[in-house]
Amino acid sequence: MARPWHSASPAEVAAELGVDPARGLSASEARARLERYGPNELGEDTRPGRLAILAEQFRDVLIWILVGAASISGLLLDEWIDAGVILAIVVLNAILGYVQEARAEDALARLKEMAAPLALVLRGGDRVTVPSADVVPGDVLVLEVGDRIA
């Protein structure tokens, strides 16, 4: 398809996906597409632990430049107040980065929990309830008020 899906007509999208909008996919075609494209799920990436998220905050070169500047300021120049301010900034940056990343990980976990567990699709002209992981490209979803989209 030359143009984006959202700007194509429903008939063009159906033709491109090889599906009859009135009947949906056949059960065998849905199985074949599930084999080809895989399940309709967010990736199950291994989530980093809290300690790994904290350690990640100190992997930036700029942080180590600031630590070096604090060391030089304190040990060589005897400017302990400047060194303390620089280290306080490094620690504050680490805390803020940690909190932000931890919240993002928690939000992603909540999004995965909110995903619709079941979907109503047309398969061979019949309405069939399938696990949302089994929804494939070309499935015709039957939506009702209040449904979560798989």
Side-chain angles (χ1 to χ4, degrees), residues 11 25 28 49 80 82 123-124 150:
L25 296 172
S28 60
W80 293 104
D82 292 346
R123 295 269 169 94

Side-chain angles (χ1 to χ4, degrees), residues 11-58:
E12 290 173 322
V13 173
E16 182 71 23
L17 292 173
V19 63
D20 176 7
R23 296 194 45 79
L25 296 172
S26 67
S28 60
E29 178 62 21
R31 275 193 303 277
R33 290 184 186 197
L34 184 61
E35 286 287 322
R36 180 176 178 193
Y37 297 110
N40 178 33
E41 296 176 323
L42 292 174
E44 291 296 322
D45 298 338
T46 55
R47 293 179 55 198
R50 300 294 181 177
L51 192 57
I53 292 174
L54 182 61
E56 184 68 30
Q57 304 310 309
F58 295 99

